[in-house]
């Protein structure tokens, strides 16, 4: 399943469906469109809920539609608010909640086609980019990342370059983050 358990429960409550039957995916897709005015395909809902194999990561736009359906402004803000409210419980296997890291910790991220980032945690869910291979991010950028989930896109809430905020940045959109290694 792509959606974290707390968001799955929110979807159950909002839709008034148990979401344990494949036929519920049609109903959920229709309700999402009714509420948000935006279309999500039934097959996409099936993948998000785990009825289909997880071969393709969901698009950020799809995740944002789900967040809108649940009353949030966007996916990142929704997941961040749940993390704050729920004392940092883990959503998905392999998920890394950055607020749980210690200052100085190094993370190595890879994603397709041949991207690699080495990030040093500086606190408050912020990292300094130590190494950026084949990435639009640059060394010494400061980036704010609340969570990293293998096979999900990398969502950077803010990029600060030479003291100037460049705003949000997303990477690994098609296949998601391939590997996350905590070096120390």
């Amino acid at each position: 399943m792509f959606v974290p358990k707390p968001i799955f429960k929110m979807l159950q409550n909002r839709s008034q469906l148990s979401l344990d039957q494949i036929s519920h995916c049609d109903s959920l897709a229709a309700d999402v469109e009714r509420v948000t005015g935006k279309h999500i395909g039934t097959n996409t809902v099936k993948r998000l809920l785990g009825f289909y194999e997880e071969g393709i990561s969901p698009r950020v736009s799809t995740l944002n539609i789900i967040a809108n359906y649940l009353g949030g402004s966007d996916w990142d803000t929704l997941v961040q608010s749940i993390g704050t409210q729920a004392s940092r419980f883990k959503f998905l296997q392999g998920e890394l909640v950055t607020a749980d890291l210690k200052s100085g910790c190094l993370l190595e991220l890879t994603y397709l086609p041949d991207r690699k980032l080495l990030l040093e945690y500086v606190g408050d869910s912020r990292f300094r980019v130590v190494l950026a291979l084949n990435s639009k991010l640059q060394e010494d950028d400061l980036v704010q990342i609340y969570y990293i989930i293998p096979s999900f896109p990398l969502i950077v809430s803010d990029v600060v370059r030479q003291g100037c905020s460049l705003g949000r940045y997303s990477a690994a959109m098609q296949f998601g983050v391939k590997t996350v290694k905590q070096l120390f």
Side-chain angles (χ1 to χ4, degrees), residues 137-154:
L137 294 175
Q138 297 177 6
E139 290 178 16
D140 291 323
D141 283 351
L142 290 176
V143 295
Q144 186 163 38
I145 304 170
Y146 292 103
Y147 58 92
I148 301 167
I149 307 171
S151 300
F152 270 75
L154 176 65

Side-chain angles (χ1 to χ4, degrees), residues 5-87:
K5 287 182 184 178
I7 293 177
F8 181 80
K9 290 194 178 296
M10 292 171 73
L11 287 169
Q12 287 176 313
N13 290 337
R14 172 79 171 150
S15 67
Q16 296 297 299
L17 297 165
S18 62
L19 302 177
D20 59 354
Q21 299 174 25
I22 202 162
S23 62
H24 292 168
C25 296
D26 289 323
S27 300
L28 179 59
D31 200 39
V32 167
E33 187 165 2
R34 180 187 63 77
V35 170
T36 67
K38 297 175 183 168
H39 177 77
I40 294 180
T42 301
N43 287 337
T44 298
V45 173
K46 289 174 183 176
R47 269 194 310 279
L48 289 171
L49 299 182
F51 290 103
Y52 281 176
E53 189 139 338
E54 299 177 4
I56 301 170
S57 295
R59 293 185 175 130
V60 172
S61 59
T62 300
L63 297 175
N64 287 341
I65 292 169
I66 294 293
N68 294 157
Y69 175 70
L70 296 172
S73 59
D74 60 65
W75 181 261
D76 191 40
T77 303
L78 177 66
V79 172
Q80 180 187 358
S81 71
I82 290 170
T84 301
Q85 295 168 5
S87 302

Side-chain angles (χ1 to χ4, degrees), residues 82-118:
I82 290 170
T84 301
Q85 295 168 5
S87 302
R88 302 286 179 211
F89 54 85
K90 299 291 186 214
F91 296 142
L92 297 172
Q93 182 178 5
E95 178 186 16
L96 178 69
V97 178
T98 61
D100 294 340
L101 297 173
K102 294 185 192 295
S103 289
C105 174
L106 288 176
L107 293 182
E108 181 184 86
L109 307 178
T110 63
Y111 50 98
L112 295 175
D114 59 351
R115 314 285 195 251
K116 182 177 182 179
L117 296 173
L118 186 60

